[in-house]
């Protein structure tokens, strides 16, 4: 196992600046997820760590060693891709043994390592099968098996579950987490799926347009997003954003919305009189209240899932999403008043998108 450091890394493809000054510190044994929308540079960064893509500027180190000039096969990493890339003409055993054979491992060691990985992944009965005789989940497990047998310093995953159906994805997600809890190998996992990031990561790195927007533990990012981008990206359904203006008052600052409605300023938020702000509140942090106390809205759609009730409601020009644990029978077009739970709202500067929070 090893720590991984990414220092001031830049990547250009010709004139296109794809990675723009990225710094990441990954501790030994940690499971780090790089998450962000498609095209933000996650795979490029991972491929630079793997040595499959040249580093334009900056430094990447694995353990004590700067690896900029180290070829991929000498970096002691193993990578698992989205399209498992199994060899179709080889059995599961041979697929898993392939890299060890290339490295001329002795037969006994090779068998021991493959059998151990197969046992960890529940592939023991499938070693003589060919990839076409396996389900999607089994193939993905073989792909992971190939990585495990090498006992690398670092596992790199690039959207390994994207080709699986929803149910299998959830199952494999738990398996990967369990695997990490067992092996404790430093892991870097790329996904565009924030739920995958939240559920798997010790630490999440949120990327956007080639820069790191925020790094932190999953619940830290959820509770304390540093800016509008992270606030909107982490959490599902997404946070509601309401443009407003900060009003300083002796009796307590307020946020004024375009229709004149006012709410108390979120506790920790700082700001100037007249400052344009964005008031953020998660769907699960809205409660129903009496008329006059919250945001007057008109119900658009009610969506019961059984476990909870999701409501879309119009507040001025903003469509708000609210999720309640209780069941509510609300007619479309009827009036509801929604109030953010005390201490749960966020305030951002409208111009910069940065959170307004006392240090
Ligand atoms: N080999 C390449 N040549 C030119 N542009 C590339 C190449 N690989 C990736 N890109 C561009 O770099 C950006 C980041 O791509 P990528 O790292 O694959 O994003 P992600 O994995 O986050 O979806 C995209 O705009 C993509 O088009
Ligand atoms: Mg990618």
């Amino acid at each position: 196992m090893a720590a991984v450091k990414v220092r001031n890394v830049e990547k250009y493809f010709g004139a296109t600046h794809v990675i723009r000054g990225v710094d990441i510190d990954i501790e030994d044994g940690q499971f780090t997820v790089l998450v962000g929308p498609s095209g933000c540079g996650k795979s490029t960064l991972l491929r630079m760590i793997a040595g499959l893509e040249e580093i334009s500027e900056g430094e990447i180190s694995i353990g004590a060693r700067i690896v900029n000039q180290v070829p991929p096969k000498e970096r002691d990493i193993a990578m698992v891709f989205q399209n498992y890339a199994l060899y179709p003409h080889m059995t599961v055993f041979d697929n898993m043994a392939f890299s060890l054979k290339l490295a001329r491992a002795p037969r006994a060691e090779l068998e021991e390592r493959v059998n151990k990985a197969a046992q960890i992944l529940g592939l023991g009965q499938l070693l003589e099968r060919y990839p076409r005789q396996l389900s999607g989940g089994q193939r993905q497990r073989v792909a992971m098996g190939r990585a495990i047998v090498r006992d690398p310093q670092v596992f790199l995953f690039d959207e390994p579950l994207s080709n699986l159906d929803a149910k299998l994805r959830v199952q494999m997600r738990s398996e990967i987490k369990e695997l990490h809890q067992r092996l404790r190998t430093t892991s870097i996992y790329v996904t565009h799926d924030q739920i995958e990031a939240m559920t798997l990561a010790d630490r999440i790195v949120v990327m956007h347009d080639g820069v790191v927007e925020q790094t932190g533990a999953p619940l830290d990012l959820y509770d304390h997003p540093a800016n509008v981008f992270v606030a909107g990206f982490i959490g599902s359904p997404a946070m509601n954003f309401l443009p407003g203006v900060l009003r300083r008052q002796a009796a307590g600052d307020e946020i004024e919305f375009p229709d004149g409605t006012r709410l108390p300023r979120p506790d920790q938020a700082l700001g100037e009189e007249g400052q344009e702000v964005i008031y953020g509140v998660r769907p699960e942090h809205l409660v129903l209240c009496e008329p006059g106390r919250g945001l007057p809205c008109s119900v658009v759609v009610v969506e019961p899932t059984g476990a909870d009730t999701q409501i879309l409601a119009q507040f001025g020009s903003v469509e708000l999403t609210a999720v309640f644990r209780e069941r509510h029978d609300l007619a479309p077009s009827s009036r509801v008043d929604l109030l953010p739970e005390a201490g749960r709202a966020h305030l951002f500067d409208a111009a910069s998108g940065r959170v307004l929070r006392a240090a």
Side-chain angles (χ1 to χ4, degrees), residues 155-211:
F155 284 131
L156 304 177
F157 298 90
D158 194 349
E159 312 238 11
L161 307 184
S162 296
N163 282 347
L164 305 179
D165 66 51
K167 196 170 168 197
L168 194 52
R169 206 153 58 217
V170 171
Q171 186 192 330
M172 294 301 292
R173 194 168 81 196
S174 310
E175 286 188 21
I176 291 176
K177 186 158 187 168
E178 205 185 315
L179 191 66
H180 179 256
Q181 285 166 1
R182 186 160 169 176
L183 302 176
R184 290 279 156 208
T185 305
T186 308
S187 301
I188 309 176
Y189 186 106
V190 160
T191 178
H192 64 275
D193 178 345
Q194 60 90 24
I195 303 257
E196 230 168 84
M198 290 294 282
T199 50
L200 277 172
D202 294 319
R203 218 171 159 70
I204 295 180
V205 177
V206 181
M207 291 182 64
H208 178 214
D209 280 347
V211 301

Side-chain angles (χ1 to χ4, degrees), residues 38-39 41-44 82 158-159 190:
S38 180
K42 306 177 296 293
S43 293
T44 302
Q82 176 179 29
D158 194 349
E159 312 238 11
V190 160

Side-chain angles (χ1 to χ4, degrees), residues 13 35 75 93 124 146 225 242 252 257 295 336:
F13 286 113
V35 69
R75 291 193 185 193
F93 183 95
R146 270 199 319 203
L242 297 99
F257 299 105
L295 305 167
V336 281

Side-chain angles (χ1 to χ4, degrees), residues 97-105:
F98 188 70
S99 67
L100 297 176
K101 271 190 190 152
L102 279 187
R104 300 189 185 284

